[in-house]
Amino acid sequence: MSNRTDKILRILYKSDLDIHLLARKLKVSEVTVRRDLIDLENRHLIQRGHGMASITSQGKFFIEFECRRLANLPEKQRIAQAALEIIKPGHSIIIDTGTTALQFAGLLAERDPENVRVITSSLLALEVFKYTKNMEILVIGGIFRPERLIVSGGMAEKNLQEYHVDYAVISVDGISAKGGLMTVNMEAARFGRQMIASADKTIVLADHSKIGKNAFVKFAGPEEISMIITGKEADKNQIKELMETQLKIKQV
Protein backbone atom coordinates (compact mmCIF):
# COMPACT_ATOMS: atom_id res chain seq x y z
CA MET A 1 0.00 0.00 0.00
CA SER A 2 1.35 3.45 -0.95
CA ASN A 3 1.69 6.26 1.59
CA ARG A 4 -1.20 8.10 -0.06
CA THR A 5 -3.64 5.18 -0.02
CA ASP A 6 -2.65 4.51 3.57
CA LYS A 7 -3.46 8.15 4.41
CA ILE A 8 -6.82 7.86 2.65
CA LEU A 9 -7.72 4.78 4.65
CA ARG A 10 -6.74 6.45 7.93
CA ILE A 11 -8.80 9.56 7.05
CA LEU A 12 -11.84 7.43 6.22
CA TYR A 13 -11.38 5.46 9.43
CA LYS A 14 -12.31 8.67 11.26
CA SER A 15 -15.23 9.70 9.02
CA ASP A 16 -16.79 9.34 5.58
CA LEU A 17 -15.75 12.04 3.13
CA ASP A 18 -16.56 13.14 -0.39
CA ILE A 19 -13.91 12.95 -3.09
CA HIS A 20 -13.51 16.73 -3.31
CA LEU A 21 -12.59 17.05 0.39
CA LEU A 22 -10.25 14.06 0.18
CA ALA A 23 -8.42 15.68 -2.72
CA ARG A 24 -8.06 18.93 -0.74
CA LYS A 25 -6.77 17.13 2.34
CA LEU A 26 -4.21 15.20 0.33
CA LYS A 27 -3.36 18.14 -1.98
CA VAL A 28 -3.78 16.05 -5.11
CA SER A 29 -6.26 16.06 -8.00
CA GLU A 30 -9.67 14.41 -7.79
CA VAL A 31 -8.59 12.14 -10.65
CA THR A 32 -5.73 10.85 -8.51
CA VAL A 33 -8.03 10.32 -5.53
CA ARG A 34 -10.55 8.43 -7.65
CA ARG A 35 -7.78 6.14 -8.92
CA ASP A 36 -6.65 5.42 -5.35
CA LEU A 37 -10.23 4.84 -4.19
CA ILE A 38 -10.81 2.33 -6.99
CA ASP A 39 -7.67 0.46 -5.87
CA LEU A 40 -8.87 0.42 -2.23
CA GLU A 41 -12.38 -0.63 -3.27
CA ASN A 42 -11.02 -3.52 -5.33
CA ARG A 43 -9.29 -4.69 -2.16
CA HIS A 44 -12.58 -4.40 -0.21
CA LEU A 45 -11.11 -1.81 2.16
CA ILE A 46 -13.49 1.02 1.22
CA GLN A 47 -16.76 1.48 -0.62
CA ARG A 48 -17.84 4.34 -2.90
CA GLY A 49 -21.21 5.83 -3.68
CA HIS A 50 -22.75 9.20 -4.71
CA GLY A 51 -19.37 10.93 -4.67
CA MET A 52 -18.62 9.71 -1.12
CA ALA A 53 -16.17 7.18 0.23
CA SER A 54 -16.44 5.16 3.45
CA ILE A 55 -14.31 2.51 5.07
CA THR A 56 -15.50 -1.12 5.24
CA SER A 57 -15.27 -3.46 8.22
CA GLN A 58 -12.26 -5.08 6.54
CA GLY A 59 -10.67 -1.65 6.15
CA LYS A 60 -11.24 -0.93 9.84
CA PHE A 61 -9.65 -4.27 10.71
CA PHE A 62 -6.61 -3.37 8.58
CA ILE A 63 -6.08 -0.06 10.40
CA GLU A 64 -6.66 -1.53 13.86
CA PHE A 65 -4.45 -4.53 13.14
CA GLU A 66 -1.65 -2.27 11.92
CA CYS A 67 -1.87 -0.25 15.14
CA ARG A 68 -1.61 -3.44 17.19
CA ARG A 69 1.16 -4.83 15.00
CA LEU A 70 3.31 -1.72 15.39
CA ALA A 71 2.74 -1.39 19.15
CA ASN A 72 5.87 -2.56 21.03
CA LEU A 73 7.23 -3.93 17.74
CA PRO A 74 10.93 -4.27 18.76
CA GLU A 75 9.85 -6.24 21.84
CA LYS A 76 7.56 -8.46 19.76
CA GLN A 77 10.42 -9.15 17.36
CA ARG A 78 12.68 -10.24 20.26
CA ILE A 79 9.92 -12.49 21.59
CA ALA A 80 9.35 -14.05 18.17
CA GLN A 81 13.09 -14.69 17.73
CA ALA A 82 13.26 -16.46 21.10
CA ALA A 83 10.31 -18.67 20.12
CA LEU A 84 11.91 -19.46 16.76
CA GLU A 85 14.97 -20.88 18.52
CA ILE A 86 12.77 -23.60 20.06
CA ILE A 87 11.51 -24.94 16.73
CA LYS A 88 13.58 -27.65 15.05
CA PRO A 89 13.23 -29.58 11.76
CA GLY A 90 10.51 -32.18 12.09
CA HIS A 91 8.37 -30.22 14.55
CA SER A 92 4.69 -29.57 14.04
CA ILE A 93 3.13 -26.27 15.16
CA ILE A 94 -0.20 -24.50 15.49
CA ILE A 95 0.10 -20.73 15.10
CA ASP A 96 -2.73 -18.43 16.14
CA THR A 97 -3.86 -15.06 14.78
CA GLY A 98 -2.22 -12.53 17.13
CA THR A 99 0.33 -9.92 16.09
CA THR A 100 3.24 -11.43 18.04
CA ALA A 101 2.43 -14.88 16.68
CA LEU A 102 2.45 -13.33 13.21
CA GLN A 103 5.95 -11.95 13.86
CA PHE A 104 6.97 -15.50 14.76
CA ALA A 105 5.38 -16.81 11.56
CA GLY A 106 7.37 -14.30 9.52
CA LEU A 107 10.68 -15.38 11.05
CA LEU A 108 9.78 -19.05 10.63
CA ALA A 109 8.97 -18.45 6.96
CA GLU A 110 12.34 -16.73 6.45
CA ARG A 111 14.17 -19.71 7.95
CA ASP A 112 11.94 -22.20 6.08
CA PRO A 113 13.15 -25.27 8.02
CA GLU A 114 12.78 -28.70 6.47
CA ASN A 115 9.95 -31.04 7.42
CA VAL A 116 8.10 -28.58 9.66
CA ARG A 117 4.31 -28.71 9.58
CA VAL A 118 2.36 -25.57 10.38
CA ILE A 119 -1.38 -25.36 11.08
CA THR A 120 -3.05 -21.96 11.13
CA SER A 121 -6.45 -20.30 10.84
CA SER A 122 -4.93 -16.93 9.92
CA LEU A 123 -4.96 -15.80 6.31
CA LEU A 124 -2.31 -13.22 7.22
CA ALA A 125 -0.03 -16.06 8.35
CA LEU A 126 -0.87 -17.94 5.15
CA GLU A 127 0.29 -14.90 3.16
CA VAL A 128 3.60 -14.95 5.07
CA PHE A 129 4.17 -18.62 4.24
CA LYS A 130 3.27 -18.50 0.55
CA TYR A 131 6.88 -18.55 -0.70
CA THR A 132 8.20 -21.28 1.60
CA LYS A 133 9.46 -24.46 -0.04
CA ASN A 134 10.44 -26.82 2.78
CA MET A 135 7.46 -26.60 5.14
CA GLU A 136 3.98 -28.07 4.90
CA ILE A 137 1.25 -25.50 5.61
CA LEU A 138 -2.24 -26.62 6.61
CA VAL A 139 -5.15 -24.17 6.77
CA ILE A 140 -8.00 -24.97 9.13
CA GLY A 141 -11.42 -25.16 7.48
CA GLY A 142 -14.36 -23.20 8.88
CA ILE A 143 -16.24 -19.94 8.54
CA PHE A 144 -14.28 -17.17 6.86
CA ARG A 145 -14.34 -13.94 8.89
CA PRO A 146 -13.34 -11.29 6.32
CA GLU A 147 -13.28 -8.49 8.89
CA ARG A 148 -10.53 -10.38 10.79
CA LEU A 149 -8.99 -12.39 7.92
CA ILE A 150 -9.30 -15.65 9.82
CA VAL A 151 -11.20 -18.93 9.61
CA SER A 152 -13.12 -19.76 12.79
CA GLY A 153 -16.30 -21.21 14.27
CA GLY A 154 -17.37 -24.68 15.38
CA MET A 155 -16.22 -26.30 12.15
CA ALA A 156 -12.71 -24.89 12.64
CA GLU A 157 -12.60 -26.17 16.23
CA LYS A 158 -13.79 -29.63 15.13
CA ASN A 159 -11.25 -29.64 12.30
CA LEU A 160 -8.46 -28.83 14.74
CA GLN A 161 -9.45 -31.79 16.96
CA GLU A 162 -8.20 -34.10 14.22
CA TYR A 163 -4.60 -32.93 14.64
CA HIS A 164 -1.90 -33.42 17.24
CA VAL A 165 1.17 -31.17 17.21
CA ASP A 166 4.35 -30.57 19.18
CA TYR A 167 3.72 -26.87 19.90
CA ALA A 168 0.89 -24.39 20.01
CA VAL A 169 2.27 -20.86 19.62
CA ILE A 170 -0.34 -18.38 20.79
CA SER A 171 -0.83 -14.73 21.63
CA VAL A 172 -3.19 -13.40 24.29
CA ASP A 173 -5.02 -10.19 25.16
CA GLY A 174 -4.03 -10.62 28.80
CA ILE A 175 -2.37 -13.05 31.19
CA SER A 176 -2.07 -13.05 34.98
CA ALA A 177 -1.56 -15.50 37.82
CA LYS A 178 -5.20 -15.20 38.90
CA GLY A 179 -6.91 -14.68 35.56
CA GLY A 180 -4.86 -17.08 33.47
CA LEU A 181 -4.88 -16.67 29.69
CA MET A 182 -7.57 -14.24 28.57
CA THR A 183 -8.99 -12.85 25.35
CA VAL A 184 -11.69 -10.37 24.36
CA ASN A 185 -13.55 -12.75 22.04
CA MET A 186 -15.61 -15.84 22.96
CA GLU A 187 -14.96 -17.53 19.62
CA ALA A 188 -11.21 -16.93 19.98
CA ALA A 189 -11.36 -18.38 23.50
CA ARG A 190 -12.94 -21.63 22.30
CA PHE A 191 -10.40 -21.94 19.51
CA GLY A 192 -7.58 -21.18 21.96
CA ARG A 193 -8.72 -24.00 24.24
CA GLN A 194 -8.67 -26.41 21.32
CA MET A 195 -5.21 -25.27 20.25
CA ILE A 196 -3.88 -26.06 23.72
CA ALA A 197 -5.68 -29.44 23.79
CA SER A 198 -4.15 -30.38 20.41
CA ALA A 199 -0.54 -29.61 21.41
CA ASP A 200 2.04 -31.34 23.59
CA LYS A 201 3.37 -27.95 24.67
CA THR A 202 1.98 -24.43 24.55
CA ILE A 203 4.17 -21.35 24.21
CA VAL A 204 2.52 -18.02 24.94
CA LEU A 205 4.02 -14.98 23.22
CA ALA A 206 3.04 -11.85 25.15
CA ASP A 207 4.61 -8.40 25.09
CA HIS A 208 4.82 -6.59 28.44
CA SER A 209 1.50 -4.77 27.98
CA LYS A 210 -0.33 -8.13 28.24
CA ILE A 211 1.35 -9.22 31.50
CA GLY A 212 -0.95 -8.72 34.48
CA LYS A 213 -3.78 -7.57 32.22
CA ASN A 214 -7.28 -9.05 32.32
CA ALA A 215 -9.64 -9.44 29.36
CA PHE A 216 -13.23 -10.55 28.84
CA VAL A 217 -12.94 -14.34 28.90
CA LYS A 218 -10.47 -16.84 30.37
CA PHE A 219 -9.57 -19.78 28.15
CA ALA A 220 -6.74 -21.48 30.07
CA GLY A 221 -4.95 -21.49 33.40
CA PRO A 222 -1.19 -20.99 33.89
CA GLU A 223 -0.86 -24.69 34.69
CA GLU A 224 -2.01 -25.60 31.16
CA ILE A 225 0.86 -23.89 29.35
CA SER A 226 4.54 -24.72 29.10
CA MET A 227 6.18 -21.32 28.78
CA ILE A 228 5.61 -17.60 28.45
CA ILE A 229 8.04 -15.55 26.42
CA THR A 230 7.82 -11.85 27.17
CA GLY A 231 9.97 -8.75 27.18
CA LYS A 232 12.24 -7.47 29.93
CA GLU A 233 9.87 -4.49 30.13
CA ALA A 234 7.25 -6.61 31.92
CA ASP A 235 6.20 -5.59 35.45
CA LYS A 236 8.42 -7.41 37.97
CA ASN A 237 5.64 -8.01 40.48
CA GLN A 238 3.39 -9.56 37.84
CA ILE A 239 6.26 -11.76 36.66
CA LYS A 240 6.89 -12.87 40.24
CA GLU A 241 3.23 -13.81 40.71
CA LEU A 242 3.26 -15.83 37.49
CA MET A 243 6.47 -17.61 38.49
CA GLU A 244 4.85 -18.60 41.79
CA THR A 245 2.42 -20.73 39.74
CA GLN A 246 5.50 -22.79 38.65
CA LEU A 247 5.14 -21.42 35.14
CA LYS A 248 8.34 -21.14 33.10
CA ILE A 249 8.97 -17.58 31.95
CA LYS A 250 11.61 -16.37 29.54
CA GLN A 251 12.23 -12.61 29.32
CA VAL A 252 14.10 -11.23 26.31
Side-chain angles (χ1 to χ4, degrees), residues 115-134:
N115 198 29
V116 167
R117 289 189 173 97
V118 174
I119 301 173
T120 186
S121 63
S122 167
L123 299 192
L124 291 171
L126 184 62
E127 178 73 13
V128 164
F129 287 120
K130 70 180 181 181
Y131 295 118
T132 57
K133 297 179 179 179
N134 299 318

Side-chain angles (χ1 to χ4, degrees), residues 55-90:
I55 196 167
T56 62
S57 59
Q58 192 166 326
K60 288 179 180 178
F61 166 78
F62 178 86
I63 292 295
E64 291 164 0
F65 186 87
E66 276 297 286
C67 289
R68 295 196 305 274
R69 186 183 70 83
L70 295 173
N72 305 314
L73 183 58
E75 180 186 4
K76 289 176 180 178
Q77 290 170 334
R78 298 196 310 269
I79 292 168
Q81 182 63 49
L84 181 68
E85 293 169 3
I86 297 170
I87 306 304
K88 307 299 180 188

Side-chain angles (χ1 to χ4, degrees), residues 198-222:
S198 296
D200 284 337
K201 296 180 179 180
T202 298
I203 303 170
V204 175
L205 310 184
D207 69 72
H208 75 279
S209 69
K210 309 299 192 306
I211 305 298
K213 180 181 176 181
N214 292 318
F216 179 61
V217 56
K218 174 181 177 179
F219 66 94

Side-chain angles (χ1 to χ4, degrees), residues 1 6 9-10 12-13 39-47 54-68 123-124 127 144-150:
M1 183 177 294
D6 182 69
L9 203 57
R10 292 179 185 278
L12 295 178
Y13 182 79
D39 176 48
L40 289 169
E41 188 173 43
N42 288 338
R43 295 158 67 183
H44 309 291
L45 298 175
I46 65 108
Q47 57 188 11
S54 59
I55 196 167
T56 62
S57 59
Q58 192 166 326
K60 288 179 180 178
F61 166 78
F62 178 86
I63 292 295
E64 291 164 0
F65 186 87
E66 276 297 286
C67 289
R68 295 196 305 274
L123 299 192
L124 291 171
E127 178 73 13
F144 174 50
R145 306 293 190 195
E147 72 280 3
R148 294 162 59 202
L149 293 179
I150 64 169

